[in-house]
Amino acid sequence: MCAALTDLLGRASLFGELEPAELETLARAAEKREFARDEVIFAAHEPADGLYVLASGRVKVCVSSSGGKELILATLGPEQFFGEMALLDNEPRSASVIAQLPTVAYRIRRDDFERLIEQHPTIARKLMRELSLRLRRSNAQMESLATLDVVGRLARYFIDLARQHGQILGNGWVAVRRPTHQDIANSIGTSRETVTRLINDLEQRGLVVNEGKMSYLRESVLSGEEG
Ligand code: CMP
């Protein structure tokens, strides 16, 4: 099992510069966890048990109001990590993390994570870079929620989804596994019904093609022209 896991950890941006022997030590200490679609990996306000590195699948990071209304802050995919914030600030989990697809993740215990950060300044630097990137994306999401109408927010959502999780097919199209309309609605602050109606409009205009669980976007849309 260790070779595949060592490869995964080596590809994960955070641990990319560790020596093979160190990666193997880390792989031996990591615990494999498997989650079904919609399974809660952990909930906001729980105490922290470790850092997770995603091997496959996709998760959503979300917060909920007392009335049960959900806001999705981010979606994360293979080789990305989550669960670092509560380890860094010794506070409870800042958000819930829920599998959007069947997901496999490896959990690294708090003491292993802390030892790695202390021994490897490059890991600390990469962590800070990733936290900055996530803050930028959060700022962009706030800007989008505050300044764009729902059509603009949906266009921006698809562009970001394709940039972050899309597969370029090489024929002018980008493929992305489409989240449920409810999850899209919870990311852009609207209702599921509105998302369904607007996605139908995008399809009719030829900007998005939906087939089964996949959506296909024109690669040119990724350059920022929201159409
Ligand atoms: P933690 O607070 O331990 O648990 C929830 C995790 O969700 C958090 O660590 C981060 O890994 C992740 N997270 C929280 N907020 C965001 C965000 N705005 N963008 C991306 N990931 C986030």
Side-chain angles (χ1 to χ4, degrees):
M1 81 109 189
C2 255
L5 176 52
T6 307
D7 284 353
L8 165 76
L9 294 173
R11 280 196 311 276
S13 59
L14 202 50
F15 304 120
E17 277 163 40
L18 288 182
E19 297 295 327
E22 290 170 312
L23 281 173
E24 272 170 38
T25 309
L26 184 60
R28 271 195 295 276
E31 184 197 345
K32 185 178 185 185
R33 306 276 315 272
E34 293 180 64
F35 303 96
R37 194 181 147 167
D38 293 331
E39 191 173 342
V40 177
I41 297 174
F42 56 69
H45 311 302
E46 282 180 3
D49 57 354
L51 169 91
Y52 292 73
V53 179
L54 284 163
S56 62
R58 193 169 65 201
V59 301
K60 59 179 174 179
V61 176
C62 51
V63 286
S64 299
S65 68
S66 51
K69 206 164 156 28
E70 180 181 271
L71 174 67
I72 298 180
L73 303 170
T75 54
L76 302 171
E79 299 166 25
Q80 290 187 290
F81 62 86
F82 58 90
E84 76 296 344
M85 285 173 59
L87 300 185
L88 292 171
D89 65 8
N90 279 319
E91 294 287 333
R93 295 298 191 192
S94 62
S96 301
V97 179
I98 300 173
Q100 261 186 343
L101 301 174
T103 289
V104 177
Y106 287 89
R107 187 173 63 181
I108 295 165
R109 288 201 325 261
R110 177 193 286 270
D111 47 351
D112 289 319
F113 175 64
E114 286 175 351
R115 185 179 46 76
L116 280 168
I117 294 183
E118 271 159 30
Q119 291 175 355
H120 300 279
T122 53
I123 294 184
R125 263 202 303 278
K126 285 180 174 182
L127 199 52
M128 287 191 280
R129 195 176 305 147
E130 179 65 22
L131 288 174
S132 299
L133 176 68
R134 292 182 185 184
L135 187 55
R136 280 178 194 276
R137 287 190 179 144
S138 275
N139 291 354
Q141 185 186 27
M142 267 199 282
E143 182 195 356
S144 168
L145 286 169
T147 63
L148 296 181
D149 65 13
V150 68
V151 175
R153 299 203 296 274
L154 182 65
R156 179 81 64 85
Y157 174 85
F158 269 118
I159 290 169
D160 290 344
L161 187 72
R163 280 188 184 146
Q164 289 174 37
H165 302 288
Q167 187 196 351
I168 294 177
L169 299 179
N171 57 0
W173 290 87
V174 182
V176 68
R177 180 100 183 240
R178 189 178 55 260
T180 63
H181 287 187
Q182 187 64 61
D183 275 354
I184 297 174
N186 293 352
S187 301
I188 63 170
T190 189
S191 67
R192 185 176 53 76
E193 293 76 9
T194 301
V195 167
T196 301
R197 180 172 54 76
L198 293 178
I199 286 182
N200 289 341
D201 286 353
L202 287 175
E203 267 198 300
Q204 274 168 16
R205 292 164 60 196
L207 293 171
V208 173
V209 174
N210 293 316
E211 268 175 31
K213 293 175 177 164
M214 304 299 291
S215 286
Y216 299 89
L217 276 85
R218 286 188 190 284
E219 217 180 310
S220 55
V221 174
L222 299 197
S223 59
E225 279 99 62
E226 288 157 21

